[in-house]
C-alpha cells in the first residue's frame, strides 16, 4: 500500500518529464506566431532582454549585458536565412553570422552553435513585426546532452513599451523561470566590427 502511494509523485514527475519539449521533438506544444510572415520578420532587430535556464549562459551574459544588434536576411529561393549578430564584447566590436534553416512550421527555425556544439530549435512565439518579437530557444548541447530553455525579447528599436515588457515577462514565467532574473541589455550604441573600440560607435 505504502509502495502504491509512493508511486504517485513519481508518475507526476514522469508526466512532467515527458511533457518537457526537447529540441529534437518539440511536438505540438509550442505555438508560433499565427500566420507567421517570414519576410516581415527579416531585417534589423535588437536583442533587449534575455533569460536562460543555463547558469553558464546567465553568468556570461551578466558579465556583458549589452544590446546585440541582429540583421536577418533571407533570399527568397532559399530554405534558410542568415542572422548577423553585432555587439561589443570586452570593448571590441564582434560580429558573427549564423545560418538558420527554415522548418515546415512557419516561425520555427533550426540552427547550430559551433562554440557550444549546440542544436537550437527557435520559435517566434509572438511578433507584430514592426515593434517586437519574442523568441523561445530550446537547445541541446552535444557533448553533455544538457538542455537549455532561453527566452529573448527582440525589438526594432533600442527600447520597448512597458506593455511589451510585461507580456515578455509573462512568457518567461510560462516557461518556469522567474522574471526577476531577466537580464535587460544595456544600450552601448551600435558598433562597427574591425573598428576596434568604443570610439568607433556609430
Ligand atoms: C541554404 O539553402 C540552400 C537551398 O535552399 C542550400 O543550397 C544552401 O546550402 C543552404 N545554405 C546553408 C548555409 O545551409
Ligand atoms: C578584456 O580585455 C582585457 C584588457 O584588454 C583583458 O585583460 C581581459 O582578459 C579581457 N577579458 C575577456 C573576457 O576577454
Ligand atoms: C550540464 O548540466 C549539469 C547539471 O545541471 C551541470 O553541472 C554541468 O555543468 C552542465 N554541463 C555543461 C557543459 O554545461
Ligand atoms: C523609443 O525611443 C525613440 C527614440 O528615442 C522614441 O521615438 C520612441 O517613442 C521610443 N519608443 C518607445 C516604445 O518607448
Amino acid at each position: 500500500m505504502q509502495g502504491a502511494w509512493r508511486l504517485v509523485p513519481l508518475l507526476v514527475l514522469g508526466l512532467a518529464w515527458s511533457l518537457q519539449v526537447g529540441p529534437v521533438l518539440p511536438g505540438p506544444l509550442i505555438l508560433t506566431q499565427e500566420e507567421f510572415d517570414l519576410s516581415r520578420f527579416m531585417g534589423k532587430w535588437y536583442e533587449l532582454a534575455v533569460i536562460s535556464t543555463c547558469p553558464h549562459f546567465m553568468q556570461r551574459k551578466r558579465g556583458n549585458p549589452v544590446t546585440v544588434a541582429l540583421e536577418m536576411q533571407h533570399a527568397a529561393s532559399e530554405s534558410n536565412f542568415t542572422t548577423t549578430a553585432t555587439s561589443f564584447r570586452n570593448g571590441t566590436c564582434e560580429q558573427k553570422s549564423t545560418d538558420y534553416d527554415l522548418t515546415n512550421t512557419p516561425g520555427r527555425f533550426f540552427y547550430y552553435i559551433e562554440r557550444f556544439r549546440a542544436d537550437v530549435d527557435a520559435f517566434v512565439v509572438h511578433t507584430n513585426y514592426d515593434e517586437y518579437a519574442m523568441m523561445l530557444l530550446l537547445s541541446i548541447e552535444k557533448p553533455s546532452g544538457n538542455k537549455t530553455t532561453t527566452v529573448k525579447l527582440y525589438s526594432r528599436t533600442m527600447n520597448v513599451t512597458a506593455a511589451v515588457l510585461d507580456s515578455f515577462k509573462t512568457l518567461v514565467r510560462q516557461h518556469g523561470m522567474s522574471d526577476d532574473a531577466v537580464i535587460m541589455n544595456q544600450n552601448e550604441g551600435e558598433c562597427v566590427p574591425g573598428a576596434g573600440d568604443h570610439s568607433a560607435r556609430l
Side-chain angles (χ1 to χ4, degrees):
M1 199 57 210
Q2 220 177 12
W5 283 113
R6 279 212 192 104
L7 208 58
V8 175
L10 284 179
L11 283 174
V12 172
L13 274 177
L15 186 65
W17 178 251
S18 62
L19 282 175
Q20 196 180 29
V21 283
V24 183
L25 274 177
L29 283 173
I30 295 157
L31 298 177
T32 53
Q33 173 62 47
E34 248 177 82
E35 295 177 47
F36 179 76
D37 183 336
L38 182 69
S39 62
R40 291 183 68 199
F41 181 67
M42 293 295 99
K44 186 115 186 211
W45 289 103
Y46 297 98
E47 184 197 294
L48 293 193
V50 63
I51 187 167
S52 172
T53 57
C54 174
H56 304 291
F57 175 93
M58 290 299 277
Q59 195 180 5
R60 262 198 320 275
K61 195 66 203 181
R62 274 194 214 99
N64 187 39
V66 299
T67 302
V68 181
L70 303 164
E71 180 68 43
M72 298 181 179
Q73 285 178 304
H74 176 230
S77 59
E78 309 232 303
S79 58
N80 46 38
F81 65 90
T82 309
T83 296
T84 304
T86 310
S87 68
F88 277 116
R89 192 179 189 85
N90 201 19
T92 39
C93 191
E94 286 194 356
Q95 194 167 64
K96 198 161 60 80
S97 288
T98 307
D99 284 306
Y100 285 48
D101 289 327
L102 303 184
T103 68
N104 290 331
T105 306
R108 179 181 170 195
F109 320 118
F110 184 78
Y111 62 97
Y112 179 69
I113 309 174
E114 201 151 336
R115 190 169 157 222
F116 302 113
R117 288 202 274 159
D119 283 323
V120 185
D121 232 333
F123 302 82
V124 185
V125 182
H126 304 294
T127 186
N128 65 357
Y129 306 102
D130 47 30
E131 201 185 348
Y132 65 84
M134 298 183 198
M135 307 293 299
L136 172 67
L137 312 172
L138 302 177
S139 51
I140 183 161
E141 284 182 27
K142 292 270 175 57
S144 62
N146 280 3
K147 289 177 180 179
T148 295
T149 301
T150 302
V151 188
K152 291 184 175 183
L153 175 61
Y154 292 172
S155 174
R156 290 295 190 187
T157 59
M158 290 216 185
N159 53 8
V160 280
T161 61
V164 168
L165 194 56
D166 276 354
S167 138
F168 174 70
K169 287 180 172 180
T170 302
L171 180 67
V172 165
R173 288 191 301 268
Q174 281 167 355
H175 288 280
M177 290 176 272
S178 161
D179 61 62
D180 292 339
V182 166
I183 296 173
M184 298 300 301
N185 290 332
Q186 291 150 24
N187 176 9
E188 291 269 315
E190 289 197 55
C191 65
V192 182
D197 56 38
H198 279 65
S199 63
R201 275 184 205 173
L202 286 179

